[in-house]
Amino acid sequence: MSAVSHDPPERHNPPFAGWRMRLRAGFARFALTTLAGLLLAAIVHIVTVLAIPALSRHDAAHAYRDLGTEGHAEPVPSPGNSRGLPALREADPHVVTAICSYDLSAGPMRIVARTGTLPLGLTLHRQGGGVLYAITDRAAIRGMLEFLVMTETQRDERIAADEEGETSRELRIVSDTEQGLIVARVLQRLPSDRADAEALATGVACGAAN
């Protein structure tokens, strides 16, 4: 009498079991990638926040804050100067540059520049970087450029003090930072123009507004 073997029936996985496993693996990889990205972003944010004080001490407004404090623009020093100030990056050898720093904590500042035979331009730079305003000698009136630099609060106070019914003709530039730079640039057409260009650039007056 022969024994009949009864093998257990073959089990078949459900048709979607493989898809479920692959789907779970995909979600796991996505979750890990997202978590790693968030962790990296958090680290970058923390490092950036901690570096802000150091970075802010290396911008142009901080580096040149001692220039122009005597009421007129001072020329940007050449490399290796005794004052230890940095030279301008990518400075044009045909342009004479002078700087007035400003601090509006004590009130608005008045900028006055006389024009000459050489092209003159003035730019207002906020602390931390960025140009707020630019003007050239083409806008001069009777050979003079003049404007006031102030905070928004100081502008509002000055408007309130204006005579009722009269529009002030003075040009008022609002700075969103209390500190910054007025940069005067004069183009010398010929090497012999150097002295005139320096006189024009350093002749820019910057002092407290009345």
Short mmCIF file of all heavy atoms in Angstrom, two decimals, residues 9-72:
data_model
loop_
_atom_site.label_atom_id
_atom_site.label_comp_id
_atom_site.label_asym_id
_atom_site.label_seq_id
_atom_site.Cartn_x
_atom_site.Cartn_y
_atom_site.Cartn_z
N PRO A 9 -0.56 23.24 0.27
CA PRO A 9 -0.82 24.03 -0.95
C PRO A 9 0.14 25.20 -1.05
O PRO A 9 0.54 25.80 -0.05
CB PRO A 9 -2.28 24.50 -0.75
CG PRO A 9 -2.51 24.45 0.72
CD PRO A 9 -1.67 23.31 1.22
N GLU A 10 0.59 25.51 -2.27
CA GLU A 10 1.52 26.62 -2.51
C GLU A 10 0.83 27.94 -2.22
O GLU A 10 -0.30 28.19 -2.65
CB GLU A 10 2.01 26.57 -3.96
CG GLU A 10 3.06 27.62 -4.26
CD GLU A 10 3.53 27.53 -5.69
OE1 GLU A 10 3.08 26.60 -6.39
OE2 GLU A 10 4.34 28.38 -6.09
N ARG A 11 1.54 28.75 -1.45
CA ARG A 11 0.97 30.06 -1.09
C ARG A 11 1.42 31.11 -2.11
O ARG A 11 2.58 31.18 -2.46
CB ARG A 11 1.43 30.46 0.31
CG ARG A 11 0.90 29.54 1.41
CD ARG A 11 1.34 30.03 2.76
NE ARG A 11 0.83 29.16 3.82
CZ ARG A 11 1.07 29.37 5.11
NH1 ARG A 11 1.82 30.40 5.51
NH2 ARG A 11 0.58 28.53 6.02
N HIS A 12 0.50 31.88 -2.51
CA HIS A 12 0.79 32.95 -3.46
C HIS A 12 0.58 34.29 -2.75
O HIS A 12 -0.44 34.51 -2.09
CB HIS A 12 -0.14 32.86 -4.68
CG HIS A 12 0.05 31.59 -5.45
ND1 HIS A 12 1.10 31.40 -6.32
CD2 HIS A 12 -0.69 30.44 -5.46
CE1 HIS A 12 1.00 30.19 -6.86
NE2 HIS A 12 -0.08 29.57 -6.36
N ASN A 13 1.59 35.16 -2.87
CA ASN A 13 1.46 36.50 -2.29
C ASN A 13 0.37 37.28 -3.01
O ASN A 13 0.17 37.14 -4.22
CB ASN A 13 2.78 37.28 -2.40
CG ASN A 13 3.85 36.69 -1.50
OD1 ASN A 13 3.53 36.14 -0.45
ND2 ASN A 13 5.09 36.77 -1.94
N PRO A 14 -0.32 38.09 -2.28
CA PRO A 14 -1.33 38.94 -2.94
C PRO A 14 -0.67 39.76 -4.03
O PRO A 14 0.51 40.12 -3.94
CB PRO A 14 -1.84 39.83 -1.81
CG PRO A 14 -1.51 39.07 -0.55
CD PRO A 14 -0.26 38.32 -0.85
N PRO A 15 -1.38 40.07 -5.09
CA PRO A 15 -0.77 40.76 -6.25
C PRO A 15 -0.20 42.12 -5.92
O PRO A 15 0.71 42.59 -6.60
CB PRO A 15 -1.94 40.86 -7.24
CG PRO A 15 -3.18 40.72 -6.41
CD PRO A 15 -2.80 39.80 -5.29
N PHE A 16 -0.73 42.82 -4.89
CA PHE A 16 -0.25 44.17 -4.59
C PHE A 16 0.74 44.22 -3.43
O PHE A 16 1.12 45.31 -2.99
CB PHE A 16 -1.44 45.07 -4.28
CG PHE A 16 -2.39 45.24 -5.43
CD1 PHE A 16 -3.62 44.60 -5.42
CD2 PHE A 16 -2.03 46.03 -6.52
CE1 PHE A 16 -4.49 44.75 -6.49
CE2 PHE A 16 -2.91 46.18 -7.58
CZ PHE A 16 -4.14 45.53 -7.58
N ALA A 17 1.14 43.06 -2.91
CA ALA A 17 2.05 43.07 -1.77
C ALA A 17 3.39 43.71 -2.15
O ALA A 17 3.97 44.48 -1.39
CB ALA A 17 2.27 41.65 -1.28
N GLY A 18 3.90 43.40 -3.33
CA GLY A 18 5.18 43.97 -3.76
C GLY A 18 5.09 45.48 -3.93
O GLY A 18 6.02 46.22 -3.57
N TRP A 19 3.98 45.96 -4.44
CA TRP A 19 3.80 47.40 -4.62
C TRP A 19 3.77 48.11 -3.27
O TRP A 19 4.32 49.20 -3.10
CB TRP A 19 2.52 47.68 -5.38
CG TRP A 19 2.61 47.36 -6.83
CD1 TRP A 19 2.14 46.28 -7.48
CD2 TRP A 19 3.27 48.16 -7.81
NE1 TRP A 19 2.42 46.32 -8.81
CE2 TRP A 19 3.13 47.49 -9.05
CE3 TRP A 19 3.94 49.37 -7.79
CZ2 TRP A 19 3.66 48.00 -10.23
CZ3 TRP A 19 4.45 49.87 -8.98
CH2 TRP A 19 4.31 49.19 -10.18
N ARG A 20 3.11 47.43 -2.29
CA ARG A 20 3.05 48.06 -0.96
C ARG A 20 4.44 48.18 -0.36
O ARG A 20 4.77 49.19 0.26
CB ARG A 20 2.15 47.22 -0.04
CG ARG A 20 0.68 47.25 -0.38
CD ARG A 20 -0.14 46.74 0.78
NE ARG A 20 -1.53 46.55 0.42
CZ ARG A 20 -2.09 45.39 0.11
NH1 ARG A 20 -1.34 44.29 0.13
NH2 ARG A 20 -3.37 45.32 -0.20
N MET A 21 5.25 47.16 -0.50
CA MET A 21 6.59 47.21 0.05
C MET A 21 7.42 48.29 -0.61
O MET A 21 8.15 49.04 0.06
CB MET A 21 7.28 45.84 -0.13
CG MET A 21 6.64 44.72 0.69
SD MET A 21 7.45 43.13 0.43
CE MET A 21 9.07 43.52 1.08
N ARG A 22 7.34 48.40 -1.94
CA ARG A 22 8.09 49.44 -2.64
C ARG A 22 7.60 50.83 -2.26
O ARG A 22 8.38 51.77 -2.15
CB ARG A 22 8.00 49.21 -4.16
CG ARG A 22 8.85 48.06 -4.65
CD ARG A 22 8.98 48.09 -6.15
NE ARG A 22 7.72 47.73 -6.80
CZ ARG A 22 7.39 46.49 -7.12
NH1 ARG A 22 8.22 45.49 -6.84
NH2 ARG A 22 6.24 46.25 -7.72
N LEU A 23 6.28 50.95 -2.05
CA LEU A 23 5.71 52.23 -1.66
C LEU A 23 6.20 52.66 -0.28
O LEU A 23 6.56 53.82 -0.06
CB LEU A 23 4.18 52.15 -1.68
CG LEU A 23 3.42 53.47 -1.55
CD1 LEU A 23 3.80 54.41 -2.69
CD2 LEU A 23 1.91 53.22 -1.56
N ARG A 24 6.23 51.67 0.65
CA ARG A 24 6.74 51.98 1.99
C ARG A 24 8.21 52.40 1.93
O ARG A 24 8.62 53.34 2.61
CB ARG A 24 6.58 50.76 2.90
CG ARG A 24 5.15 50.43 3.27
CD ARG A 24 5.11 49.47 4.44
NE ARG A 24 3.78 48.95 4.67
CZ ARG A 24 3.33 47.77 4.25
NH1 ARG A 24 4.14 46.98 3.55
NH2 ARG A 24 2.10 47.38 4.51
N ALA A 25 8.99 51.70 1.14
CA ALA A 25 10.41 52.03 1.02
C ALA A 25 10.59 53.43 0.43
O ALA A 25 11.46 54.20 0.86
CB ALA A 25 11.12 50.99 0.16
N GLY A 26 9.75 53.77 -0.56
CA GLY A 26 9.83 55.10 -1.16
C GLY A 26 9.50 56.19 -0.17
O GLY A 26 10.17 57.23 -0.11
N PHE A 27 8.43 55.97 0.62
CA PHE A 27 8.06 56.96 1.65
C PHE A 27 9.16 57.10 2.69
O PHE A 27 9.43 58.21 3.18
CB PHE A 27 6.75 56.56 2.31
CG PHE A 27 5.54 57.04 1.58
CD1 PHE A 27 4.57 56.14 1.13
CD2 PHE A 27 5.36 58.39 1.33
CE1 PHE A 27 3.45 56.58 0.45
CE2 PHE A 27 4.23 58.83 0.65
CZ PHE A 27 3.27 57.94 0.20
N ALA A 28 9.80 55.99 3.04
CA ALA A 28 10.88 56.04 4.04
C ALA A 28 12.05 56.87 3.51
O ALA A 28 12.61 57.71 4.23
CB ALA A 28 11.33 54.64 4.39
N ARG A 29 12.42 56.64 2.23
CA ARG A 29 13.51 57.42 1.65
C ARG A 29 13.15 58.90 1.57
O ARG A 29 13.97 59.78 1.85
CB ARG A 29 13.86 56.88 0.26
CG ARG A 29 14.61 55.55 0.29
CD ARG A 29 15.21 55.25 -1.07
NE ARG A 29 14.18 55.10 -2.09
CZ ARG A 29 13.61 53.93 -2.39
NH1 ARG A 29 13.97 52.83 -1.73
NH2 ARG A 29 12.69 53.87 -3.34
N PHE A 30 11.91 59.21 1.20
CA PHE A 30 11.46 60.60 1.11
C PHE A 30 11.51 61.28 2.47
O PHE A 30 11.95 62.42 2.61
CB PHE A 30 10.04 60.64 0.54
CG PHE A 30 9.44 62.02 0.50
CD1 PHE A 30 9.81 62.93 -0.48
CD2 PHE A 30 8.52 62.41 1.46
CE1 PHE A 30 9.27 64.20 -0.51
CE2 PHE A 30 7.97 63.67 1.43
CZ PHE A 30 8.34 64.58 0.44
N ALA A 31 11.04 60.54 3.50
CA ALA A 31 11.05 61.11 4.86
C ALA A 31 12.47 61.39 5.32
O ALA A 31 12.75 62.44 5.91
CB ALA A 31 10.34 60.17 5.82
N LEU A 32 13.39 60.46 5.06
CA LEU A 32 14.78 60.65 5.46
C LEU A 32 15.41 61.83 4.72
O LEU A 32 16.15 62.64 5.30
CB LEU A 32 15.58 59.37 5.23
CG LEU A 32 15.28 58.20 6.17
CD1 LEU A 32 16.06 56.96 5.74
CD2 LEU A 32 15.64 58.57 7.61
N THR A 33 15.13 61.93 3.40
CA THR A 33 15.68 63.03 2.61
C THR A 33 15.15 64.37 3.11
O THR A 33 15.89 65.35 3.24
CB THR A 33 15.33 62.85 1.13
OG1 THR A 33 15.84 61.58 0.68
CG2 THR A 33 15.93 63.95 0.29
N THR A 34 13.84 64.43 3.39
CA THR A 34 13.25 65.67 3.89
C THR A 34 13.83 66.06 5.24
O THR A 34 14.15 67.22 5.49
CB THR A 34 11.73 65.50 4.02
OG1 THR A 34 11.18 65.13 2.75
CG2 THR A 34 11.07 66.79 4.50
N LEU A 35 13.98 65.06 6.11
CA LEU A 35 14.56 65.33 7.44
C LEU A 35 15.98 65.85 7.32
O LEU A 35 16.37 66.81 8.00
CB LEU A 35 14.53 64.05 8.27
CG LEU A 35 15.06 64.18 9.72
CD1 LEU A 35 14.23 65.20 10.49
CD2 LEU A 35 15.02 62.83 10.41
N ALA A 36 16.77 65.24 6.42
CA ALA A 36 18.15 65.70 6.23
C ALA A 36 18.19 67.12 5.68
O ALA A 36 19.01 67.94 6.09
CB ALA A 36 18.88 64.74 5.28
N GLY A 37 17.27 67.43 4.75
CA GLY A 37 17.21 68.78 4.20
C GLY A 37 16.85 69.82 5.25
O GLY A 37 17.44 70.91 5.30
N LEU A 38 15.87 69.50 6.10
CA LEU A 38 15.48 70.41 7.16
C LEU A 38 16.61 70.62 8.16
O LEU A 38 16.83 71.74 8.64
CB LEU A 38 14.23 69.88 7.88
CG LEU A 38 12.93 69.87 7.06
CD1 LEU A 38 11.82 69.19 7.84
CD2 LEU A 38 12.53 71.29 6.68
N LEU A 39 17.31 69.53 8.47
CA LEU A 39 18.44 69.64 9.40
C LEU A 39 19.53 70.52 8.82
O LEU A 39 20.10 71.38 9.51
CB LEU A 39 18.98 68.24 9.70
CG LEU A 39 20.14 68.16 10.71
CD1 LEU A 39 19.71 68.74 12.06
CD2 LEU A 39 20.62 66.73 10.87
N LEU A 40 19.84 70.34 7.53
CA LEU A 40 20.86 71.15 6.88
C LEU A 40 20.44 72.62 6.85
O LEU A 40 21.25 73.52 7.11
CB LEU A 40 21.11 70.63 5.46
CG LEU A 40 22.14 71.42 4.63
CD1 LEU A 40 23.50 71.37 5.31
CD2 LEU A 40 22.23 70.86 3.21
N ALA A 41 19.16 72.89 6.53
CA ALA A 41 18.67 74.27 6.50
C ALA A 41 18.77 74.92 7.87
O ALA A 41 19.13 76.10 7.99
CB ALA A 41 17.22 74.29 6.01
N ALA A 42 18.47 74.15 8.92
CA ALA A 42 18.56 74.69 10.28
C ALA A 42 20.00 75.04 10.62
O ALA A 42 20.28 76.09 11.22
CB ALA A 42 18.01 73.67 11.28
N ILE A 43 20.94 74.17 10.21
CA ILE A 43 22.35 74.44 10.50
C ILE A 43 22.82 75.69 9.76
O ILE A 43 23.49 76.56 10.34
CB ILE A 43 23.22 73.22 10.09
CG1 ILE A 43 22.90 72.04 11.00
CG2 ILE A 43 24.70 73.57 10.16
CD1 ILE A 43 23.58 70.75 10.58
N VAL A 44 22.45 75.82 8.47
CA VAL A 44 22.83 77.01 7.69
C VAL A 44 22.24 78.27 8.32
O VAL A 44 22.90 79.31 8.41
CB VAL A 44 22.37 76.86 6.23
CG1 VAL A 44 22.55 78.16 5.47
CG2 VAL A 44 23.13 75.74 5.56
N HIS A 45 20.99 78.20 8.74
CA HIS A 45 20.34 79.37 9.36
C HIS A 45 21.06 79.79 10.64
O HIS A 45 21.34 80.98 10.85
CB HIS A 45 18.88 79.04 9.67
CG HIS A 45 18.16 80.14 10.40
ND1 HIS A 45 17.78 81.31 9.78
CD2 HIS A 45 17.77 80.25 11.70
CE1 HIS A 45 17.19 82.10 10.67
NE2 HIS A 45 17.16 81.47 11.83
N ILE A 46 21.39 78.82 11.47
CA ILE A 46 22.07 79.14 12.73
C ILE A 46 23.44 79.75 12.46
O ILE A 46 23.83 80.76 13.07
CB ILE A 46 22.21 77.87 13.60
CG1 ILE A 46 20.82 77.41 14.07
CG2 ILE A 46 23.10 78.14 14.81
CD1 ILE A 46 20.83 76.07 14.77
N VAL A 47 24.19 79.16 11.52
CA VAL A 47 25.52 79.69 11.20
C VAL A 47 25.41 81.11 10.65
O VAL A 47 26.21 81.99 10.98
CB VAL A 47 26.23 78.76 10.19
CG1 VAL A 47 27.51 79.41 9.67
CG2 VAL A 47 26.55 77.43 10.84
N THR A 48 24.41 81.35 9.79
CA THR A 48 24.23 82.69 9.21
C THR A 48 23.92 83.71 10.28
O THR A 48 24.47 84.82 10.29
CB THR A 48 23.10 82.66 8.16
OG1 THR A 48 23.43 81.71 7.14
CG2 THR A 48 22.93 84.04 7.53
N VAL A 49 23.01 83.37 11.19
CA VAL A 49 22.65 84.29 12.27
C VAL A 49 23.86 84.61 13.13
O VAL A 49 24.09 85.77 13.50
CB VAL A 49 21.51 83.70 13.12
CG1 VAL A 49 21.30 84.53 14.38
CG2 VAL A 49 20.22 83.64 12.32
N LEU A 50 24.65 83.59 13.45
CA LEU A 50 25.84 83.81 14.28
C LEU A 50 26.89 84.63 13.54
O LEU A 50 27.68 85.35 14.17
CB LEU A 50 26.44 82.48 14.70
CG LEU A 50 25.58 81.63 15.65
CD1 LEU A 50 26.25 80.29 15.93
CD2 LEU A 50 25.33 82.37 16.97
N ALA A 51 26.90 84.56 12.20
CA ALA A 51 27.92 85.27 11.43
C ALA A 51 27.54 86.70 11.11
O ALA A 51 28.39 87.49 10.70
CB ALA A 51 28.19 84.53 10.11
N ILE A 52 26.27 87.10 11.31
CA ILE A 52 25.82 88.43 10.94
C ILE A 52 26.66 89.53 11.60
O ILE A 52 27.08 90.48 10.94
CB ILE A 52 24.33 88.61 11.25
CG1 ILE A 52 23.50 87.89 10.18
CG2 ILE A 52 23.94 90.09 11.30
CD1 ILE A 52 22.01 87.91 10.45
N PRO A 53 26.93 89.48 12.92
CA PRO A 53 27.75 90.54 13.52
C PRO A 53 29.12 90.67 12.88
O PRO A 53 29.61 91.76 12.65
CB PRO A 53 27.85 90.10 14.99
CG PRO A 53 26.67 89.23 15.21
CD PRO A 53 26.47 88.50 13.92
N ALA A 54 29.74 89.54 12.56
CA ALA A 54 31.06 89.60 11.94
C ALA A 54 30.99 90.15 10.53
O ALA A 54 31.81 90.96 10.11
CB ALA A 54 31.70 88.20 11.93
N LEU A 55 29.97 89.72 9.76
CA LEU A 55 29.83 90.20 8.40
C LEU A 55 29.52 91.68 8.36
O LEU A 55 30.00 92.41 7.50
CB LEU A 55 28.72 89.41 7.69
CG LEU A 55 29.00 87.93 7.45
CD1 LEU A 55 27.78 87.24 6.86
CD2 LEU A 55 30.20 87.75 6.53
N SER A 56 28.68 92.15 9.28
CA SER A 56 28.29 93.56 9.29
C SER A 56 29.47 94.47 9.58
O SER A 56 29.46 95.65 9.22
CB SER A 56 27.19 93.79 10.34
OG SER A 56 27.67 93.54 11.64
N ARG A 57 30.51 93.94 10.25
CA ARG A 57 31.68 94.76 10.55
C ARG A 57 32.64 94.83 9.37
O ARG A 57 33.64 95.54 9.43
CB ARG A 57 32.41 94.18 11.77
CG ARG A 57 31.64 94.38 13.07
CD ARG A 57 32.55 94.11 14.25
NE ARG A 57 32.96 92.72 14.32
CZ ARG A 57 32.30 91.77 14.98
NH1 ARG A 57 31.16 92.06 15.58
NH2 ARG A 57 32.74 90.53 15.02
N HIS A 58 32.35 94.11 8.29
CA HIS A 58 33.24 94.11 7.15
C HIS A 58 32.61 94.76 5.91
O HIS A 58 33.18 94.68 4.83
CB HIS A 58 33.66 92.67 6.80
CG HIS A 58 34.58 92.07 7.82
ND1 HIS A 58 34.12 91.49 8.99
CD2 HIS A 58 35.94 91.97 7.86
CE1 HIS A 58 35.14 91.04 9.68
NE2 HIS A 58 36.25 91.32 9.04
N ASP A 59 31.45 95.41 6.05
CA ASP A 59 30.88 96.09 4.90
C ASP A 59 31.54 97.45 4.74
O ASP A 59 32.28 97.93 5.60
CB ASP A 59 29.35 96.19 5.01
CG ASP A 59 28.92 97.15 6.10
OD1 ASP A 59 29.77 97.59 6.89
OD2 ASP A 59 27.72 97.45 6.18
N ALA A 60 31.30 98.10 3.58
CA ALA A 60 31.97 99.36 3.27
C ALA A 60 31.61 100.45 4.27
O ALA A 60 32.46 101.25 4.66
CB ALA A 60 31.60 99.78 1.85
N ALA A 61 30.34 100.50 4.68
CA ALA A 61 29.92 101.55 5.61
C ALA A 61 30.67 101.47 6.93
O ALA A 61 30.98 102.49 7.55
CB ALA A 61 28.41 101.47 5.85
N HIS A 62 30.97 100.25 7.35
CA HIS A 62 31.73 100.10 8.59
C HIS A 62 33.21 100.39 8.35
O HIS A 62 33.87 101.05 9.17
CB HIS A 62 31.56 98.69 9.14
CG HIS A 62 32.22 98.47 10.47
ND1 HIS A 62 31.59 98.71 11.66
CD2 HIS A 62 33.48 98.05 10.77
CE1 HIS A 62 32.41 98.45 12.66
NE2 HIS A 62 33.56 98.04 12.16
N ALA A 63 33.74 99.91 7.24
CA ALA A 63 35.17 100.08 6.97
C ALA A 63 35.55 101.54 6.81
O ALA A 63 36.63 101.97 7.24
CB ALA A 63 35.55 99.30 5.71
N TYR A 64 34.66 102.35 6.18
CA TYR A 64 34.99 103.74 5.88
C TYR A 64 34.22 104.73 6.76
O TYR A 64 34.07 105.89 6.40
CB TYR A 64 34.69 104.03 4.41
CG TYR A 64 35.47 103.18 3.45
CD1 TYR A 64 34.83 102.48 2.43
CD2 TYR A 64 36.85 103.06 3.55
CE1 TYR A 64 35.55 101.70 1.54
CE2 TYR A 64 37.58 102.27 2.67
CZ TYR A 64 36.92 101.60 1.66
OH TYR A 64 37.63 100.82 0.79
N ARG A 65 33.77 104.28 7.92
CA ARG A 65 32.95 105.14 8.76
C ARG A 65 33.70 106.35 9.32
O ARG A 65 33.08 107.31 9.77
CB ARG A 65 32.37 104.33 9.91
CG ARG A 65 33.41 103.75 10.86
CD ARG A 65 32.77 102.93 11.95
NE ARG A 65 33.76 102.31 12.82
CZ ARG A 65 33.45 101.54 13.85
NH1 ARG A 65 32.18 101.29 14.11
NH2 ARG A 65 34.40 101.00 14.59
N ASP A 66 35.04 106.30 9.29
CA ASP A 66 35.83 107.42 9.80
C ASP A 66 36.17 108.44 8.72
O ASP A 66 36.80 109.46 9.02
CB ASP A 66 37.12 106.91 10.45
CG ASP A 66 36.84 106.10 11.71
OD1 ASP A 66 35.83 106.39 12.39
OD2 ASP A 66 37.62 105.16 12.01
N LEU A 67 35.79 108.18 7.48
CA LEU A 67 36.07 109.11 6.40
C LEU A 67 34.97 110.17 6.31
O LEU A 67 33.79 109.86 6.44
CB LEU A 67 36.18 108.38 5.06
CG LEU A 67 37.35 107.40 4.90
CD1 LEU A 67 37.31 106.77 3.51
CD2 LEU A 67 38.67 108.10 5.12
N GLY A 68 35.36 111.40 6.09
CA GLY A 68 34.39 112.46 5.90
C GLY A 68 33.76 112.98 7.17
O GLY A 68 32.73 113.66 7.11
N THR A 69 34.34 112.70 8.30
CA THR A 69 33.77 113.15 9.56
C THR A 69 34.13 114.60 9.87
O THR A 69 33.63 115.17 10.84
CB THR A 69 34.23 112.26 10.72
OG1 THR A 69 35.68 112.24 10.77
CG2 THR A 69 33.72 110.84 10.54
N GLU A 70 35.00 115.20 9.06
CA GLU A 70 35.41 116.59 9.28
C GLU A 70 34.61 117.57 8.44
O GLU A 70 34.97 118.74 8.33
CB GLU A 70 36.91 116.74 8.97
CG GLU A 70 37.81 115.88 9.83
CD GLU A 70 37.70 116.22 11.31
OE1 GLU A 70 37.53 117.41 11.63
OE2 GLU A 70 37.76 115.28 12.13
N GLY A 71 33.53 117.10 7.83
CA GLY A 71 32.67 118.01 7.08
C GLY A 71 32.90 118.02 5.58
O GLY A 71 32.24 118.79 4.87
N HIS A 72 33.81 117.18 5.08
CA HIS A 72 34.03 117.10 3.64
C HIS A 72 34.49 115.69 3.28
O HIS A 72 35.01 114.96 4.13
CB HIS A 72 35.07 118.13 3.18
CG HIS A 72 36.43 117.92 3.81
ND1 HIS A 72 37.36 117.06 3.29
CD2 HIS A 72 36.99 118.44 4.92
CE1 HIS A 72 38.44 117.06 4.05
NE2 HIS A 72 38.24 117.90 5.05
#
